[in-house]
Amino acid sequence: MTVTDTGAAGTPVLSRAGLRQYREDGFTVVRGLFGYDEVDRLCAEFTELHAAGRTVPGHFEPRPGTSDPLHAYPRVMHPHEISSLARQVLLDARLRNVLEELLGEEVLAAQSMFYFKPPGARGQALHQDNFYLRVEPGTCVAAWLACDVIDRDNGGLEVVPGTHRMGLFCPEEADAEVSFAREYVPPPPGLAAVPVDMAPGDVLFFNGSLVHGSGPNAAGDRFRRSFIGHYAGQSAERIGQYYRTVSMGGERVPLAVSEGAGPCGTEFAPQGPH
């Protein structure tokens, strides 16, 4: 699941094996795309935000004193709009190089998120990102940057290879005891979720139709921090109403809002990564 080649200017790019895996399985990992020092700075930025204990409406809304770890450490939504460092990571040239290889065209950034996922936190049931982002035509691509050692114990991601070729499913209701999001897409017959173990600085790239998710963080003393960007190809014409697309140079590039009810035939009222 691999790997980093080096371009003429020393910029990591996706290998042929990585591109082939993405096309066949719907995902690939580029190991060590970001340095440990870069990851440490990014984590420090959000640790400081949490320590300040203040609400940033629409971005970070902690509820201290609660028994739910995800209320004490909620995900940060669109941090690139409130943090210059997060914006730099979202628009980083290394991500851009890989994304352009995967999509075959220039890309637009649509969303960023930072997850703390502290010990005891619920995961997110298996789902598909483009169910939420509604990129049309085509789909979105995620770049999922590991900020800790990530494995199944602390709620690492699991993916269902090959589901990126199956289109979007209408999800079932998830178990609220183990998933903070409402939607659950069971693996199709004959397929199963497999874990993706990662080290700080690794980036998992995956197709917006790939079924993926995570379990609760069962590690007693380890967070599972991650920074996620969602992207669309420049040829995309429409996207969900919650997303504000920008070029990788940072210029606003508005898209029309996707219409219709999606794969369920009626609006499902999704509560996932929007």
Side-chain angles (χ1 to χ4, degrees), residues 192-260:
V194 297
V196 182
D197 291 346
M198 301 174 70
D202 293 350
V203 180
L204 169 66
F205 294 88
F206 57 93
N207 184 289
S209 292
L210 183 77
V211 175
H212 68 285
S214 67
N217 183 349
D221 58 355
R222 290 194 294 141
F223 280 65
R224 193 227 66 180
R225 295 171 295 181
S226 55
F227 182 91
I228 301 99
H230 285 107
Y231 304 84
Q234 187 173 255
S235 61
E237 299 172 2
R238 297 172 297 278
I239 196 167
Q241 62 179 317
Y242 301 104
Y243 306 97
R244 297 177 289 274
T245 44
V246 298
S247 74
M248 295 300 281
E251 299 84 14
R252 180 83 167 93
V253 182
L255 299 181
V257 174
S258 298
E259 300 178 354

Side-chain angles (χ1 to χ4, degrees), residues 18 38 215 236:
E38 295 175 292

